[in-house]
């Protein structure tokens, strides 16, 4: 074990002692403290949560009910798993990528005499199909936050809540409201299908080894009353809007390249109204925005013909551009930035654009 980890561990064990003296944390034969039996891999997000009070609080917030099937992602050595197994939940399925951790969490459950409630699946949580679950509770590796939440919310899973420990900044974006500086495509897309709630902040000092970032616990609750919308179309629309979230919608939809791209998409020979978003699309829908510059050059050579633009009839493209401008005008959204708008406002604009033959996917 390297010295940094060893020092951290010594400090942490000392702190755990004082926590245990004053807390009524669930008693478990195996301690939360990390015994250094193998090397933890930071690139795999292997930062174990070792503060029993925080672990208890996460289990409490998850509000597990008798009979619940729980999904945990990245159980590690089982500090949180032990609480989930001791809860009224009927069973816990844990997906873990590291075989050493699989062994550790399995041994932990056996030591607690709760192995019969646990199924450990060795695999990458982004790729592996999950078994059915009612509630997801996890301190996940932060590197997979976006694809994992996208998989949970835009896949085929039906569940009551996901209570996730996430990097603090990411959590702030997830619960941001329109007009907040953190509000972006992630928040808009998640809020389309779920409600989010910040439950508590967790210090980086509660982990071994200590990460560079603080964390926050967030509850994600899928909506029962989803707005009527074609999800794939919505996701493609928000990609266009939030790709340049600091520009006004008027400026975004005036760009020649964008108009031509939308014109092409809108005139595909065969539109499938209920095209479900593909797996690649799903995992990418919550990527962070990049305020990419969009050149106005269409990059096409029309051989000097004045009636053609990028191979299309100039008049048709002009009329298409007009339809977009009119939709923005009639909704009075041309001067607004996407990050200031509620999903209802954005959805109203999308519907109007669709009605006028403007499609985004
Ligand atoms: N939940 C534990 C461990 C958190 S560390 C605790 O709170 O102490 C993150 C865990 O996720 C590690 O065990 C790591 O091996 C695992 N992990 C990392 N990437 C993963 C992936 N793509 N799929 C599943 N597990 C992963």
């Amino acid at each position: 074990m390297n010295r940094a980890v060893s020092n951290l561990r010594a400090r942490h064990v000392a702190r755990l002692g004082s926590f245990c003296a004053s807390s009524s944390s669930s008693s478990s034969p195996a301690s939360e403290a990390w015994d250094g039996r193998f090397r933890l891999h930071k690139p795999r997000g292997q930062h174990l949560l070792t503060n029993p009070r925080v672990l208890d609080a996460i289990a409490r917030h998850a509000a597990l009910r008798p009979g619940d099937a729980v999904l945990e992602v990245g159980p590690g050595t089982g500090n949180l798993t032990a609480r989930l197994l001791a809860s009224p939940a009927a069973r816990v399925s844990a997906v873990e990528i590291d075989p050493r951790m699989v062994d550790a969490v399995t041994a932990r459950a056996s030591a607690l005499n709760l192995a019969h409630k646990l199924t450990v699946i060795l695999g990458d949580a982004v790729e592996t199909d999950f078994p059915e679950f009612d509630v997801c509770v996890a301190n996940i590796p932060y590197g997979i936050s976006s694809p994992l939440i996208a998989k949970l919310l835009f896949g085929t899973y039906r569940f009551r809540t996901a209570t996730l420990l996430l990097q603090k900044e990411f959590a702030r974006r997830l619960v941001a409201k329109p007009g907040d500086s953190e509000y972006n495509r992630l928040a808009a897309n998640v809020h389309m299908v779920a409600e989010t709630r910040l439950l508590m902040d967790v210090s980086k000092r509660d982990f071994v080894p200590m990460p560079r970032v603080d964390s926050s616990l967030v509850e994600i609750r899928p909506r029962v009353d989803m707005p009527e919308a074609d999800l794939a179309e919505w996701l493609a629309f928000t990609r266009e809007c939030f790709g340049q979230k600091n520009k006004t919608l008027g400026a975004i939809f005036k760009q020649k390249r964008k108009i031509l791209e939308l014109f092409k998409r809108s005139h595909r020979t065969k539109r499938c109204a209920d095209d479900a978003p593909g797996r690649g699309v799903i995992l990418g829908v919550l990527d962070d925005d990049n305020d990419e510059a969009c050149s106005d050059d269409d990059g096409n050579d029309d051989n000097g013909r004045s009636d053609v633009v990028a191979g299309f009839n100039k008049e048709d493209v002009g009329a298409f551009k007009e339809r977009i401008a009119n939709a923005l005008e009639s909704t009075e959204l041309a001067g607004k930035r996407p990050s200031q708008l509620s999903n209802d406002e954005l959805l109203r604009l999308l519907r109007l654009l669709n009605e006028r033959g403007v499609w985004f996917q």
Side-chain angles (χ1 to χ4, degrees), residues 4-19:
V5 174
S6 160
N7 287 342
L8 272 171
R9 188 186 144 216
R11 275 213 314 266
H12 211 89
V13 170
R15 288 189 330 108
L16 277 179
S18 62
F19 275 132

Side-chain angles (χ1 to χ4, degrees), residues 41 43-50 55 72-81 95-98 101 121 123-127 138-142 144 165 207:
H41 293 318
R44 280 247 163 104
Q46 292 182 343
H47 297 278
L48 307 179
L49 179 58
T50 52
L55 288 157
E72 187 185 4
V73 172
T77 52
N79 286 349
L80 183 57
T81 324
V95 183
E96 170 59 60
I97 204 166
D98 185 338
M101 295 295 191
I121 301 161
D124 182 337
V126 177
E127 302 293 331
N139 163 30
I140 64 169
Y142 296 163
I144 64 167
L165 196 59
F207 298 82

